[in-house]
Amino acid sequence: MTATRTPPRLALAITVASLMAALTLTPAQADDGPSVPPGTEPSATAPVEVDPNDPDLKLPEGATLAEPKVLDIKQVVEDQSGDERREDTNADVKFALQAEVLFGKDSAKLNGEAKARISAIAAEIRNQNATRIRVFGFTDNLGSYAHGLTLSRQRANAVQDVLDQELKDSGITYEVRGYSEDYPIASNSTESGRKKNRRVEVSFPRGEN
């Protein structure tokens, strides 16, 4: 009985096709992103309503539409030094300032550079007509958790005080919290990671009227 030989190019094509099929069937695994404090999760909603009875919608018999959902698009801009980070989503604007550009080591007293940076955030709050502002403080995992909780809250309070002075708006509601080492955005195993985690975040709704 004579064996049938597969031409080399055909064998290669079959191998590539098999690999592509295997890749297509393998479910994608996404890494978990940084955790976010409670109450700051994206909350985008669908921009338009869809009529499930529209004759132009071609659905299999008996099928129904899933609840409409808009994926939250996030744009992140970080300055070259990494001292300041801005995140824009469909619903919110968030600024994260590293503690070193605002405070001395293990201190909640604002330095001379801090007011200018916080004033710039206040200008964006006015631009967005925001009336609900979150100011959250965070530390790294060095030292005790209780000390970090106190320090992060004191730093958040200091930033909120400057925002209040800048905005001079009694209609604004502030939510001020300290989270110590909870909700890191980088690894605490290196100093560069710990530096990112020592921060104050200011967030507010986009375009609120």
Side-chain angles (χ1 to χ4, degrees):
M1 184 174 184
T2 304
T4 302
R5 296 184 60 191
T6 304
R9 289 185 181 178
L10 179 57
L12 178 61
I14 293 171
T15 302
V16 172
S18 299
L19 286 172
M20 290 180 67
L23 290 172
T24 302
L25 294 174
T26 302
Q29 297 292 328
D31 293 333
D32 291 335
S35 56
V36 296
T40 63
E41 300 87 351
S43 57
T45 55
V48 295
E49 292 187 7
V50 178
D51 181 5
N53 298 315
D54 189 326
D56 292 329
L57 287 176
K58 300 182 183 298
L59 297 174
E61 187 174 352
T64 58
L65 290 174
E67 192 69 23
K69 179 181 180 182
V70 175
L71 295 178
D72 202 46
I73 299 173
K74 179 186 290 187
Q75 179 182 11
V76 179
V77 178
E78 189 174 83
D79 64 12
Q80 193 169 12
S81 64
D83 293 342
E84 183 171 333
R85 175 186 177 97
R86 172 174 174 157
E87 296 181 6
D88 288 84
T89 68
N90 301 339
D92 298 290
V93 179
K94 180 197 293 182
F95 288 89
L97 296 173
Q98 288 186 6
E100 277 79 353
V101 302
L102 300 175
F103 309 97
K105 184 177 180 181
D106 202 32
S107 170
K109 183 178 179 180
L110 291 165
N111 60 35
E113 182 186 356
K115 186 172 181 180
R117 288 182 177 267
I118 299 170
S119 295
I121 296 175
E124 183 61 20
I125 292 171
R126 288 193 205 95
N127 184 50
Q128 298 293 342
N129 297 314
T131 57
R132 292 182 292 111
I133 303 170
R134 295 186 177 103
V135 187
F136 294 165
F138 305 85
T139 63
D140 57 28
N141 66 346
L142 299 182
S144 72
Y145 183 87
H147 176 70
L149 204 61
T150 299
L151 181 61
S152 59
R153 177 59 187 260
Q154 289 174 340
R155 286 176 168 177
N157 280 331
V159 172
Q160 186 269 330
D161 284 343
V162 176
L163 287 173
D164 197 30
Q165 293 167 19
E166 289 285 321
L167 295 169
K168 297 181 175 66
D169 187 344
S170 60
I172 291 178
T173 301
Y174 294 90
E175 181 182 355
V176 185
R177 297 184 185 180
Y179 284 103
S180 189
E181 65 194 61
D182 292 338
Y183 308 106
I185 58 173
S187 172
N188 275 310
S189 62
T190 65
E191 176 52 29
S192 61
R194 291 191 292 270
K195 185 177 179 181
K196 287 181 178 292
N197 292 332
R198 299 190 294 265
R199 68 198 190 278
V200 175
E201 294 182 354
V202 180
S203 59
F204 43 91
R206 169 180 295 283
E208 183 176 285
N209 294 312

Short mmCIF file of all heavy atoms in Angstrom, two decimals, residues 5-60:
data_model
loop_
_atom_site.label_atom_id
_atom_site.label_comp_id
_atom_site.label_asym_id
_atom_site.label_seq_id
_atom_site.Cartn_x
_atom_site.Cartn_y
_atom_site.Cartn_z
N ARG A 5 1.92 11.23 0.55
CA ARG A 5 2.75 12.27 1.17
C ARG A 5 2.08 13.62 1.00
O ARG A 5 1.59 13.96 -0.06
CB ARG A 5 4.13 12.30 0.54
CG ARG A 5 4.94 11.01 0.76
CD ARG A 5 6.34 11.14 0.20
NE ARG A 5 7.03 12.25 0.85
CZ ARG A 5 8.20 12.74 0.42
NH1 ARG A 5 8.76 12.23 -0.67
NH2 ARG A 5 8.79 13.73 1.06
N THR A 6 2.07 14.37 2.08
CA THR A 6 1.50 15.73 2.03
C THR A 6 2.59 16.70 1.61
O THR A 6 3.67 16.72 2.22
CB THR A 6 0.97 16.15 3.41
OG1 THR A 6 0.03 15.18 3.84
CG2 THR A 6 0.32 17.52 3.34
N PRO A 7 2.37 17.48 0.57
CA PRO A 7 3.37 18.45 0.14
C PRO A 7 3.74 19.36 1.31
O PRO A 7 2.89 19.71 2.12
CB PRO A 7 2.64 19.25 -0.96
CG PRO A 7 1.58 18.33 -1.44
CD PRO A 7 1.17 17.53 -0.26
N PRO A 8 5.04 19.78 1.42
CA PRO A 8 5.49 20.59 2.58
C PRO A 8 4.67 21.85 2.77
O PRO A 8 4.33 22.20 3.89
CB PRO A 8 6.95 20.92 2.20
CG PRO A 8 7.37 19.83 1.27
CD PRO A 8 6.14 19.46 0.50
N ARG A 9 4.34 22.60 1.68
CA ARG A 9 3.58 23.84 1.85
C ARG A 9 2.19 23.58 2.39
O ARG A 9 1.67 24.32 3.22
CB ARG A 9 3.49 24.59 0.52
CG ARG A 9 4.82 25.18 0.07
CD ARG A 9 4.66 26.00 -1.18
NE ARG A 9 5.93 26.56 -1.61
CZ ARG A 9 6.08 27.29 -2.70
NH1 ARG A 9 5.02 27.55 -3.46
NH2 ARG A 9 7.27 27.77 -3.02
N LEU A 10 1.55 22.49 1.93
CA LEU A 10 0.22 22.15 2.42
C LEU A 10 0.28 21.76 3.88
O LEU A 10 -0.57 22.14 4.68
CB LEU A 10 -0.36 21.00 1.58
CG LEU A 10 -1.77 20.53 1.99
CD1 LEU A 10 -2.75 21.70 1.93
CD2 LEU A 10 -2.23 19.39 1.08
N ALA A 11 1.32 21.01 4.27
CA ALA A 11 1.48 20.62 5.67
C ALA A 11 1.63 21.84 6.55
O ALA A 11 1.05 21.93 7.63
CB ALA A 11 2.70 19.70 5.82
N LEU A 12 2.40 22.82 6.08
CA LEU A 12 2.59 24.05 6.84
C LEU A 12 1.28 24.80 6.98
O LEU A 12 0.94 25.30 8.05
CB LEU A 12 3.64 24.93 6.15
CG LEU A 12 3.91 26.28 6.82
CD1 LEU A 12 4.43 26.06 8.24
CD2 LEU A 12 4.92 27.09 6.00
N ALA A 13 0.51 24.86 5.89
CA ALA A 13 -0.77 25.57 5.92
C ALA A 13 -1.73 24.90 6.89
O ALA A 13 -2.45 25.57 7.64
CB ALA A 13 -1.38 25.61 4.52
N ILE A 14 -1.74 23.57 6.91
CA ILE A 14 -2.62 22.84 7.83
C ILE A 14 -2.22 23.11 9.27
O ILE A 14 -3.06 23.32 10.14
CB ILE A 14 -2.58 21.32 7.52
CG1 ILE A 14 -3.22 21.06 6.14
CG2 ILE A 14 -3.29 20.53 8.61
CD1 ILE A 14 -3.04 19.64 5.66
N THR A 15 -0.90 23.13 9.53
CA THR A 15 -0.41 23.38 10.89
C THR A 15 -0.80 24.76 11.36
O THR A 15 -1.28 24.95 12.48
CB THR A 15 1.13 23.24 10.93
OG1 THR A 15 1.48 21.93 10.50
CG2 THR A 15 1.65 23.47 12.35
N VAL A 16 -0.62 25.79 10.51
CA VAL A 16 -0.98 27.16 10.86
C VAL A 16 -2.47 27.28 11.12
O VAL A 16 -2.92 27.90 12.08
CB VAL A 16 -0.55 28.14 9.75
CG1 VAL A 16 -1.11 29.54 10.02
CG2 VAL A 16 0.97 28.19 9.66
N ALA A 17 -3.28 26.65 10.26
CA ALA A 17 -4.74 26.69 10.44
C ALA A 17 -5.14 26.04 11.76
O ALA A 17 -6.03 26.52 12.47
CB ALA A 17 -5.42 25.98 9.27
N SER A 18 -4.47 24.93 12.11
CA SER A 18 -4.78 24.25 13.37
C SER A 18 -4.44 25.12 14.56
O SER A 18 -5.19 25.20 15.54
CB SER A 18 -4.00 22.93 13.46
OG SER A 18 -4.35 22.08 12.39
N LEU A 19 -3.28 25.81 14.48
CA LEU A 19 -2.89 26.70 15.57
C LEU A 19 -3.88 27.84 15.72
O LEU A 19 -4.26 28.21 16.82
CB LEU A 19 -1.49 27.25 15.32
CG LEU A 19 -0.33 26.28 15.54
CD1 LEU A 19 0.98 26.89 15.08
CD2 LEU A 19 -0.23 25.88 17.00
N MET A 20 -4.32 28.42 14.60
CA MET A 20 -5.27 29.53 14.65
C MET A 20 -6.59 29.08 15.26
O MET A 20 -7.20 29.80 16.05
CB MET A 20 -5.50 30.11 13.25
CG MET A 20 -4.28 30.85 12.70
SD MET A 20 -4.59 31.51 11.07
CE MET A 20 -5.80 32.75 11.45
N ALA A 21 -7.01 27.89 14.91
CA ALA A 21 -8.26 27.36 15.46
C ALA A 21 -8.14 27.17 16.97
O ALA A 21 -9.04 27.50 17.74
CB ALA A 21 -8.62 26.03 14.79
N ALA A 22 -6.97 26.66 17.39
CA ALA A 22 -6.77 26.46 18.82
C ALA A 22 -6.76 27.77 19.57
O ALA A 22 -7.33 27.90 20.65
CB ALA A 22 -5.44 25.72 19.05
N LEU A 23 -6.11 28.81 18.97
CA LEU A 23 -6.08 30.12 19.61
C LEU A 23 -7.46 30.73 19.69
O LEU A 23 -7.83 31.38 20.64
CB LEU A 23 -5.14 31.05 18.84
CG LEU A 23 -3.64 30.72 18.95
CD1 LEU A 23 -2.85 31.60 17.99
CD2 LEU A 23 -3.15 30.92 20.37
N THR A 24 -8.26 30.50 18.66
CA THR A 24 -9.61 31.07 18.62
C THR A 24 -10.50 30.46 19.69
O THR A 24 -11.33 31.14 20.30
CB THR A 24 -10.23 30.84 17.23
OG1 THR A 24 -9.39 31.42 16.25
CG2 THR A 24 -11.61 31.47 17.15
N LEU A 25 -10.30 29.18 19.96
CA LEU A 25 -11.17 28.49 20.89
C LEU A 25 -10.74 28.67 22.34
O LEU A 25 -11.50 28.36 23.25
CB LEU A 25 -11.19 26.99 20.56
CG LEU A 25 -11.83 26.63 19.20
CD1 LEU A 25 -11.66 25.15 18.93
CD2 LEU A 25 -13.30 27.01 19.19
N THR A 26 -9.49 29.18 22.56
CA THR A 26 -9.02 29.34 23.93
C THR A 26 -9.55 30.63 24.52
O THR A 26 -9.36 31.70 23.96
CB THR A 26 -7.47 29.39 23.94
OG1 THR A 26 -6.99 28.19 23.35
CG2 THR A 26 -6.96 29.50 25.37
N PRO A 27 -10.26 30.58 25.64
CA PRO A 27 -10.81 31.82 26.22
C PRO A 27 -9.70 32.73 26.71
O PRO A 27 -8.70 32.28 27.26
CB PRO A 27 -11.65 31.31 27.40
CG PRO A 27 -11.08 29.97 27.73
CD PRO A 27 -10.57 29.40 26.44
N ALA A 28 -9.86 34.04 26.50
CA ALA A 28 -8.86 35.01 26.92
C ALA A 28 -8.94 35.21 28.42
O ALA A 28 -10.01 35.25 29.00
CB ALA A 28 -9.08 36.34 26.20
N GLN A 29 -7.78 35.36 29.06
CA GLN A 29 -7.71 35.58 30.49
C GLN A 29 -7.16 36.98 30.72
O GLN A 29 -6.04 37.28 30.32
CB GLN A 29 -6.81 34.55 31.17
CG GLN A 29 -7.31 33.11 31.04
CD GLN A 29 -8.59 32.88 31.82
OE1 GLN A 29 -8.81 33.49 32.85
NE2 GLN A 29 -9.43 32.00 31.34
N ALA A 30 -7.92 37.86 31.36
CA ALA A 30 -7.47 39.22 31.63
C ALA A 30 -6.95 39.31 33.05
O ALA A 30 -7.53 38.75 33.97
CB ALA A 30 -8.62 40.21 31.43
N ASP A 31 -5.82 40.03 33.21
CA ASP A 31 -5.29 40.24 34.55
C ASP A 31 -6.21 41.18 35.33
O ASP A 31 -6.81 42.08 34.76
CB ASP A 31 -3.89 40.87 34.48
CG ASP A 31 -2.89 39.91 33.87
OD1 ASP A 31 -3.11 38.69 33.99
OD2 ASP A 31 -1.89 40.37 33.28
N ASP A 32 -6.29 40.96 36.62
CA ASP A 32 -7.09 41.85 37.46
C ASP A 32 -6.43 43.21 37.50
O ASP A 32 -5.22 43.32 37.69
CB ASP A 32 -7.20 41.30 38.88
CG ASP A 32 -8.06 40.04 38.92
OD1 ASP A 32 -8.90 39.90 38.03
OD2 ASP A 32 -7.87 39.22 39.84
N GLY A 33 -7.22 44.28 37.34
CA GLY A 33 -6.68 45.63 37.40
C GLY A 33 -6.56 46.10 38.83
O GLY A 33 -6.92 45.39 39.77
N PRO A 34 -6.04 47.31 39.02
CA PRO A 34 -5.94 47.85 40.38
C PRO A 34 -7.31 47.96 41.02
O PRO A 34 -8.31 48.24 40.36
CB PRO A 34 -5.33 49.24 40.15
CG PRO A 34 -4.71 49.18 38.80
CD PRO A 34 -5.54 48.23 38.02
N SER A 35 -7.36 47.73 42.32
CA SER A 35 -8.63 47.85 43.02
C SER A 35 -8.99 49.31 43.19
O SER A 35 -8.12 50.18 43.19
CB SER A 35 -8.53 47.16 44.38
OG SER A 35 -7.45 47.71 45.12
N VAL A 36 -10.27 49.59 43.33
CA VAL A 36 -10.72 50.96 43.50
C VAL A 36 -11.56 51.06 44.76
O VAL A 36 -12.23 50.11 45.15
CB VAL A 36 -11.55 51.45 42.29
CG1 VAL A 36 -10.70 51.50 41.05
CG2 VAL A 36 -12.76 50.56 42.06
N PRO A 37 -11.51 52.20 45.45
CA PRO A 37 -12.31 52.35 46.68
C PRO A 37 -13.79 52.21 46.40
O PRO A 37 -14.25 52.52 45.29
CB PRO A 37 -11.97 53.78 47.12
CG PRO A 37 -10.67 54.09 46.47
CD PRO A 37 -10.69 53.36 45.17
N PRO A 38 -14.57 51.73 47.36
CA PRO A 38 -16.01 51.57 47.15
C PRO A 38 -16.67 52.89 46.81
O PRO A 38 -16.34 53.94 47.37
CB PRO A 38 -16.50 51.03 48.51
CG PRO A 38 -15.42 51.38 49.48
CD PRO A 38 -14.15 51.36 48.72
N GLY A 39 -17.60 52.84 45.86
CA GLY A 39 -18.32 54.05 45.47
C GLY A 39 -17.70 54.77 44.30
O GLY A 39 -18.25 55.76 43.82
N THR A 40 -16.53 54.30 43.82
CA THR A 40 -15.88 54.98 42.70
C THR A 40 -15.89 54.13 41.43
O THR A 40 -15.22 54.47 40.46
CB THR A 40 -14.42 55.33 43.05
OG1 THR A 40 -13.70 54.12 43.29
CG2 THR A 40 -14.34 56.20 44.28
N GLU A 41 -16.62 53.03 41.45
CA GLU A 41 -16.67 52.17 40.27
C GLU A 41 -17.39 52.89 39.13
O GLU A 41 -18.28 53.71 39.36
CB GLU A 41 -17.42 50.86 40.57
CG GLU A 41 -16.79 50.03 41.68
CD GLU A 41 -17.28 50.43 43.05
OE1 GLU A 41 -17.99 51.46 43.16
OE2 GLU A 41 -16.97 49.71 44.02
N PRO A 42 -17.03 52.59 37.85
CA PRO A 42 -17.71 53.21 36.71
C PRO A 42 -19.20 52.92 36.74
O PRO A 42 -19.64 51.85 37.14
CB PRO A 42 -17.04 52.55 35.50
CG PRO A 42 -15.73 52.09 36.00
CD PRO A 42 -15.95 51.70 37.44
N SER A 43 -20.00 53.88 36.29
CA SER A 43 -21.45 53.71 36.31
C SER A 43 -22.09 54.25 35.04
O SER A 43 -23.11 54.89 35.06
CB SER A 43 -22.06 54.42 37.52
OG SER A 43 -21.72 55.80 37.50
N ALA A 44 -21.43 54.00 33.89
CA ALA A 44 -21.96 54.50 32.63
C ALA A 44 -23.26 53.78 32.27
O ALA A 44 -23.44 52.61 32.57
CB ALA A 44 -20.92 54.29 31.52
N THR A 45 -24.16 54.49 31.63
CA THR A 45 -25.43 53.90 31.19
C THR A 45 -25.56 54.05 29.69
O THR A 45 -24.86 54.84 29.06
CB THR A 45 -26.62 54.60 31.87
OG1 THR A 45 -26.53 56.01 31.61
CG2 THR A 45 -26.58 54.38 33.38
N ALA A 46 -26.47 53.29 29.12
CA ALA A 46 -26.65 53.33 27.67
C ALA A 46 -27.15 54.69 27.22
O ALA A 46 -28.03 55.27 27.84
CB ALA A 46 -27.66 52.24 27.25
N PRO A 47 -26.59 55.25 26.12
CA PRO A 47 -26.99 56.59 25.69
C PRO A 47 -28.36 56.65 25.02
O PRO A 47 -29.00 57.69 25.03
CB PRO A 47 -25.88 56.97 24.69
CG PRO A 47 -25.40 55.66 24.16
CD PRO A 47 -25.53 54.69 25.30
N VAL A 48 -28.80 55.55 24.44
CA VAL A 48 -30.10 55.55 23.75
C VAL A 48 -30.86 54.28 24.12
O VAL A 48 -30.27 53.26 24.46
CB VAL A 48 -29.94 55.61 22.21
CG1 VAL A 48 -29.33 56.93 21.79
CG2 VAL A 48 -29.10 54.45 21.71
N GLU A 49 -32.18 54.36 24.05
CA GLU A 49 -33.00 53.17 24.29
C GLU A 49 -33.17 52.40 22.99
O GLU A 49 -33.25 52.97 21.90
CB GLU A 49 -34.37 53.59 24.84
CG GLU A 49 -34.31 54.18 26.24
CD GLU A 49 -35.70 54.42 26.79
OE1 GLU A 49 -36.68 54.01 26.13
OE2 GLU A 49 -35.80 55.02 27.87
N VAL A 50 -33.22 51.09 23.11
CA VAL A 50 -33.40 50.22 21.95
C VAL A 50 -34.76 49.55 22.05
O VAL A 50 -35.10 48.96 23.09
CB VAL A 50 -32.29 49.15 21.87
CG1 VAL A 50 -32.53 48.22 20.68
CG2 VAL A 50 -30.92 49.81 21.76
N ASP A 51 -35.56 49.67 21.00
CA ASP A 51 -36.89 49.06 20.98
C ASP A 51 -36.76 47.59 20.58
O ASP A 51 -36.40 47.29 19.42
CB ASP A 51 -37.78 49.81 19.98
CG ASP A 51 -39.20 49.23 19.92
OD1 ASP A 51 -39.50 48.31 20.74
OD2 ASP A 51 -39.98 49.68 19.07
N PRO A 52 -37.04 46.66 21.48
CA PRO A 52 -36.89 45.23 21.13
C PRO A 52 -37.88 44.77 20.08
O PRO A 52 -37.72 43.70 19.49
CB PRO A 52 -37.11 44.52 22.48
CG PRO A 52 -37.94 45.49 23.28
CD PRO A 52 -37.49 46.85 22.86
N ASN A 53 -38.94 45.57 19.83
CA ASN A 53 -39.94 45.20 18.83
C ASN A 53 -39.69 45.84 17.47
O ASN A 53 -40.50 45.73 16.56
CB ASN A 53 -41.33 45.60 19.33
CG ASN A 53 -41.71 44.88 20.62
OD1 ASN A 53 -41.50 43.67 20.73
ND2 ASN A 53 -42.24 45.62 21.58
N ASP A 54 -38.57 46.53 17.33
CA ASP A 54 -38.23 47.17 16.05
C ASP A 54 -38.11 46.09 14.98
O ASP A 54 -37.34 45.13 15.13
CB ASP A 54 -36.90 47.92 16.21
CG ASP A 54 -36.60 48.80 14.99
OD1 ASP A 54 -36.96 48.41 13.87
OD2 ASP A 54 -35.99 49.87 15.18
N PRO A 55 -38.86 46.21 13.85
CA PRO A 55 -38.81 45.18 12.80
C PRO A 55 -37.44 45.06 12.14
O PRO A 55 -37.13 44.05 11.51
CB PRO A 55 -39.88 45.66 11.79
CG PRO A 55 -40.03 47.12 12.07
CD PRO A 55 -39.80 47.29 13.53
N ASP A 56 -36.59 46.10 12.28
CA ASP A 56 -35.26 46.02 11.67
C ASP A 56 -34.29 45.19 12.49
O ASP A 56 -33.18 44.90 12.04
CB ASP A 56 -34.70 47.44 11.49
CG ASP A 56 -35.46 48.24 10.44
OD1 ASP A 56 -35.98 47.62 9.50
OD2 ASP A 56 -35.55 49.47 10.58
N LEU A 57 -34.67 44.85 13.72
CA LEU A 57 -33.82 43.98 14.53
C LEU A 57 -34.09 42.53 14.15
O LEU A 57 -35.20 42.04 14.27
CB LEU A 57 -34.12 44.18 16.02
CG LEU A 57 -33.62 45.47 16.65
CD1 LEU A 57 -34.08 45.56 18.10
CD2 LEU A 57 -32.10 45.55 16.60
N LYS A 58 -33.09 41.86 13.67
CA LYS A 58 -33.25 40.47 13.23
C LYS A 58 -32.74 39.55 14.34
O LYS A 58 -31.55 39.30 14.48
CB LYS A 58 -32.48 40.24 11.93
CG LYS A 58 -32.95 41.12 10.79
CD LYS A 58 -32.19 40.82 9.52
CE LYS A 58 -32.60 41.75 8.37
NZ LYS A 58 -34.00 41.63 8.02
N LEU A 59 -33.67 39.06 15.14
CA LEU A 59 -33.34 38.15 16.23
C LEU A 59 -33.95 36.78 15.96
O LEU A 59 -35.02 36.67 15.37
CB LEU A 59 -33.89 38.68 17.56
CG LEU A 59 -33.34 40.01 18.08
CD1 LEU A 59 -34.11 40.44 19.32
CD2 LEU A 59 -31.87 39.88 18.39
N PRO A 60 -33.27 35.72 16.39
CA PRO A 60 -33.86 34.38 16.26
C PRO A 60 -35.18 34.33 17.03
O PRO A 60 -35.37 35.04 18.01
CB PRO A 60 -32.81 33.46 16.89
CG PRO A 60 -31.54 34.24 16.86
CD PRO A 60 -31.93 35.67 16.99
#
